[in-house]
């Protein structure tokens, strides 16, 4: 089994607090550039690299495509299968 290191963006102080206090259901009210995607990736990658299923949902295809592209770029070394059409990693 090969070992892969996934390098995620470093969360700022308030993002670290959200990550540390995350529960099953979380609601954030944050500004447009606060970094919700960064937090989401932090929370999604940990179970994903352990082989657990993770879902990511967005209100529009355009928004989803942007997050899928970010996740694919960050996880590219750890990805064993990827489907761009279905946006599955």
């Amino acid at each position: 089994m090969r070992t892969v290191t996934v390098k995620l963006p470093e969360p700022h102080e308030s993002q670290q607090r959200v990550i540390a206090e995350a529960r099953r259901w979380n609601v954030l009210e944050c500004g447009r550039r606060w970094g919700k995607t960064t937090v989401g990736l932090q929370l999604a990658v940990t179970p994903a690299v352990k082989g657990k299923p993770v879902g990511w949902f967005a209100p529009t295809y355009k928004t989803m495509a942007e997050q899928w592209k970010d996740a694919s770029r960050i996880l590219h070394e750890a990805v064993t299968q990827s489907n761009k059409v279905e946006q599955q990693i």
Side-chain angles (χ1 to χ4, degrees):
M1 182 165 85
R2 71 184 184 133
T3 301
V4 176
T5 301
V6 176
K7 179 73 172 136
L8 295 167
E10 188 67 34
H12 57 68
E13 187 177 335
S14 59
Q15 289 172 330
Q16 289 174 350
R17 181 176 175 201
V18 169
I19 292 165
E21 297 177 7
R23 299 294 177 259
R24 182 173 181 199
W25 303 103
N26 303 277
V27 176
L28 298 176
E29 182 179 357
C30 308
R32 189 174 71 87
R33 298 190 42 97
W34 181 82
K36 296 176 289 293
T37 301
T38 300
V39 170
L41 283 171
Q42 293 276 351
L43 294 172
V45 166
T46 302
V49 296
K50 293 178 181 176
K52 296 187 179 189
V54 175
W56 189 289
F57 303 89
T60 66
Y61 176 83
K62 183 180 177 185
T63 303
M64 184 65 175
E66 292 169 10
Q67 271 88 37
W68 187 84
K69 188 172 143 183
D70 288 344
S72 296
R73 180 181 45 79
I74 290 169
L75 299 171
H76 76 277
E77 289 196 30
V79 172
T80 56
Q81 285 184 300
S82 179
N83 185 325
K84 188 173 184 177
V85 174
E86 294 183 12
Q87 294 186 331
Q88 294 179 347
I89 299 174

